[in-house]
Amino acid sequence: MAASLNSRHVSAMIKQGFIPDQPFTFSPSRTFPSPPPSTSFPSPQSHPQTLFQIMSHHHDRDSKLSVENRRKMQDRLSKLLEEPPFGGDVKLTVIARDGFRVSMDVHKSVLAEKSRFFAEKLRGENGISHSVEISDCDDVEVYVEAVVLMYCEDLKRRFRLIAEGVSKILTLLKVSAAIMFDLGVSSCIEYLEAIPWTEDEQKDIIAQLGDLQLHDSSSEILLRVSSDPSTTARANDIFTTLISGVLQAKDEKARREMKELLSRLFKEAPSNNNSRLDVSKDTLYHLCHRCINSLVLCLSEATGTEERPDRGALMSEITREADNIQWIVGILIGKKMGDEFVKIWADQRELARLHSKVPIIYRHEISRITAQLCIGIGRGHILVPKEIRFSLLSTWLEALYEDFGWMRRASRTIDTKLVEDGLSQTILTLPLLQQQAVLLNWFDRFLNKGDDCPNIQKAFEIWWRRAFIRHYSTEPDNSHLQITL
């Protein structure tokens, strides 16, 4: 960004007859009549040659401008200075940090009319020529362009012809605000409001408007990124509609894409936790209950004695509802809201009973919900009492064992090592006698099923050491206690 006219610059604007060594200087010179201001661009041939000097006497070894870049900038500046009818009673010089400078003769009447800053500094000195220097600029070209814009009658058309990116317009906005060029500020705001932004540009725009504190001028442009409370208060209703739409989607490819999109958006870290609007916990659990009820109904119909012509569609619906539950549970766990669902799932004994009667090819997605919860518990993302953890395994561990082989072969998205680690950690959070009961049962099953059973040997080893090698007494050892008075 270009350097703005800060307090140091402003304080350097001096009275007639005194020129201190400061970034901005005004010096009176000979008296001559002030020419009338111009507000339009005549052709370059219709006015005298512009007074334009570019001097590079102060060589800066640290300058990042190469010779080629300097030449290109000089060319752009030459074209800029050919446009307005310069040749007035104020010699304006803009100086870069590295000493590069541009000088131009401009009209006091134009500066005073278009810039409240210059109007204040040049007030009451008609017929006197001034010399003005603006020093320590990051972008000389933008300062010159701001002065050129003061001579332009149709700024809207001018901005359309410029067709510059957001970064250039923000720099021009900053300079215009610094010299109180109100028409330039409003034109920059109007242009920014009309063009599209990238997300990075959006951050720059919001930051710049915040720094400049252009509250009245920027209110329209900020409507693109903010809304009034009456709209945001209904955010949860919008989220509910979106999630419900995904759960009921008819096109499977679109459904998968929107699941991934919403999951990614829900995971994004908020910029302000205190003011964040999000899908509510109650909404997510309401949808979970709805999906579970639908799953129970599908399993009841699938296990009924009556032969159904739409059995294939019914089985697909079972897979779909299980997948829906997995998705919502994933959102709950990501938001640290998954604790209550563990108890809800542990209490689904009727669902577990029906599950055992459905062919594995259709039911294994249900066991992935249990695996998902074990992974969450094993990672410490779900915190529930030991009674609920044991109830979860009591209800669903047998089903997970039965479906594991099919899960491993049929699903490309499941990480069996992650499931085994999560199950191991969940078992090891139980009291030792419950660990023993679960792991001895697993030992027999693994010997008969092999790879079709989760391999939790590591958990078995840890239990063994806890039970038979490293004994921890629950009674306090007071034999070495000493009390000193």
Side-chain angles (χ1 to χ4, degrees):
M1 294 297 174
S4 62
L5 300 186
N6 54 35
S7 58
R8 184 170 67 88
H9 292 128
V10 173
S11 64
M13 306 299 292
I14 66 169
K15 296 181 180 180
Q16 178 179 348
F18 181 63
I19 312 175
D21 183 17
Q22 293 286 344
F24 285 82
T25 60
F26 273 64
S27 59
S29 70
R30 59 185 174 82
T31 303
F32 59 91
S34 175
S38 174
T39 56
S40 63
F41 285 152
S43 64
Q45 292 79 12
S46 63
H47 60 82
Q49 180 68 33
T50 301
L51 295 177
F52 174 42
Q53 296 177 323
I54 301 179
M55 296 177 290
S56 302
H57 298 308
H58 306 285
H59 178 66
D60 185 357
R61 294 180 181 179
D62 297 328
S63 175
K64 296 180 181 179
L65 285 175
S66 66
V67 174
E68 179 65 20
N69 289 339
R70 176 63 60 85
R71 187 187 63 78
K72 290 180 179 179
M73 185 173 69
Q74 289 176 351
D75 290 343
R76 291 194 300 269
L77 286 168
S78 295
K79 291 178 181 178
L80 271 176
L81 293 172
E82 287 176 356
E83 298 183 48
F86 287 146
D89 48 355
V90 175
K91 182 177 182 180
L92 178 62
T93 302
V94 184
I95 308 172
R97 292 178 184 272
D98 63 352
F100 177 80
R101 60 176 60 209
V102 178
S103 296
M104 49 195 154
D105 285 356
V106 293
H107 299 90
K108 172 185 172 183
S109 55
V110 174
L111 294 179
E113 178 188 354
K114 297 298 176 69
S115 165
R116 289 183 288 118
F117 178 80
F118 285 118
E120 173 67 23
K121 298 305 175 181
L122 298 172
R123 185 172 51 190
E125 297 183 0
N126 294 328
I128 298 178
S129 177
H130 295 273
S131 177
V132 182
E133 289 188 358
I134 304 178
S135 300
D136 203 25
C137 298
D138 288 338
D139 195 331
V140 169
E141 187 177 344
V142 176
Y143 275 88
V144 173
E145 187 152 13
V147 175
V148 171
L149 290 177
M150 292 182 187
Y151 282 84
C152 182
E153 186 174 296
D154 188 350
L155 282 184
K156 184 175 182 179
R157 181 174 179 274
R158 171 71 175 180
F159 271 74
R160 190 183 298 274
L161 293 174
I162 292 176
E164 292 284 0
V166 167
S167 178
K168 173 67 175 292
I169 299 301
L170 285 178
T171 308
L172 191 56
L173 171 63
K174 189 173 183 180
V175 171
S176 297
I179 61 177
M180 301 181 189
F181 176 26
D182 295 334
L183 188 57
V185 169
S186 61
S187 297
C188 288
I189 293 291
E190 184 179 349
Y191 183 80
L192 290 172
E193 196 283 327
I195 63 173
W197 314 330
T198 66
E199 290 197 77
D200 288 338
E201 288 172 342
Q202 174 178 304
K203 294 176 185 177
D204 293 340
I205 290 170
I206 294 172
Q208 181 78 291
L209 294 178
D211 290 343
L212 296 178
Q213 298 183 348
L214 304 172
H215 303 298
D216 295 336
S217 303
S218 62
S219 58
E220 288 296 320
I221 196 172
L222 292 179
L223 288 177
R224 189 180 298 192
V225 296
S226 63
S227 56
D228 59 63
S230 64
T231 301
T232 55
R234 298 193 300 273
N236 188 66
D237 294 337
I238 295 173
F239 297 143
T240 303
T241 301
L242 294 174
I243 296 174
S244 298
V246 170
L247 298 179
Q248 301 167 14
K250 296 180 180 179
D251 187 288
E252 190 59 29
K253 181 176 181 294
R255 176 174 170 271
R256 288 196 303 269
E257 290 181 3
M258 290 302 101
K259 274 175 53 183
E260 293 175 2
L261 173 62
L262 291 181
S263 296
R264 187 170 68 253
L265 292 175
F266 283 136
K267 287 178 183 176
E268 286 189 359
S271 57
N272 185 347
N273 286 315
N274 295 327
S275 63
R276 191 183 188 201
L277 292 165
D278 205 347
V279 59
S280 71
K281 179 180 176 181
D282 290 343
T283 294
L284 292 172
Y285 274 98
H286 170 74
L287 294 171
C288 277
H289 281 292
R290 195 172 78 184
C291 291
I292 290 174
N293 291 337
S294 177
L295 185 58
V296 170
L297 181 61
C298 289
L299 288 174
S300 298
E301 294 179 359
T303 56
T305 56
E306 183 180 347
E307 190 67 26
R308 298 177 60 96
D310 60 343
R311 184 174 177 79
L314 183 60
M315 293 302 180
S316 296
E317 189 64 23
I318 292 172
T319 302
R320 179 189 177 92
E321 289 297 346
D323 183 69
N324 284 339
I325 296 172
Q326 291 172 39
W327 180 51
I328 300 175
V329 170
I331 296 174
L332 285 169
I333 294 174
K335 295 182 174 300
K336 306 295 188 293
M337 299 176 181
D339 300 1
E340 292 178 22
F341 186 82
V342 181
K343 185 176 188 312
I344 293 172
W345 194 242
D347 290 341
Q348 299 301 315
R349 295 178 181 82
E350 175 63 16
L351 182 60
R353 184 187 67 80
L354 294 170
H355 168 276
S356 64
K357 299 180 180 181
V358 175
I360 296 179
I361 188 174
Y362 302 112
R363 76 187 191 199
H364 72 273
E365 288 289 341
I366 299 175
S367 289
R368 289 189 63 176
I369 300 169
T370 306
Q372 191 178 15
L373 295 176
C374 287
I375 292 170
I377 293 171
R379 288 178 163 180
H381 297 163
I382 298 176
L383 306 176
V384 292
K386 58 183 180 296
E387 294 80 13
I388 296 178
R389 299 195 299 271
F390 185 69
S391 177
L392 172 69
L393 296 180
S394 298
T395 303
W396 287 107
L397 186 56
E398 190 71 21
L400 180 59
Y401 285 158
E402 291 290 336
D403 295 347
F404 186 80
W406 188 270
M407 288 166 55
R408 182 173 55 82
R409 289 187 295 269
S411 178
R412 297 179 180 178
T413 60
I414 191 168
D415 186 338
T416 54
K417 183 66 168 58
L418 202 60
V419 174
E420 290 168 343
D421 289 346
L423 178 58
S424 296
Q425 292 298 333
T426 301
I427 294 171
L428 292 172
T429 64
L430 301 175
L432 194 61
L433 289 178
Q434 291 179 348
Q435 295 176 40
Q436 175 179 307
V438 172
L439 289 168
L440 289 179
N441 175 272
W442 166 83
F443 187 82
D444 290 337
R445 179 176 291 273
F446 186 73
L447 288 175
N448 293 306
K449 296 290 185 178
D451 287 343
D452 282 346
C453 182
N455 190 338
I456 53 175
Q457 293 184 44
K458 185 177 180 180
F460 188 88
E461 291 180 28
I462 294 174
W463 161 74
W464 180 277
R465 294 190 186 99
R466 288 175 176 177
F468 303 115
I469 298 177
R470 299 173 185 146
H471 294 281
Y472 298 93
S473 174
T474 57
E475 295 295 327
D477 183 4
N478 297 321
S479 60
H480 300 293
L481 282 178
Q482 294 183 357
I483 301 176
T484 303
L485 297 178

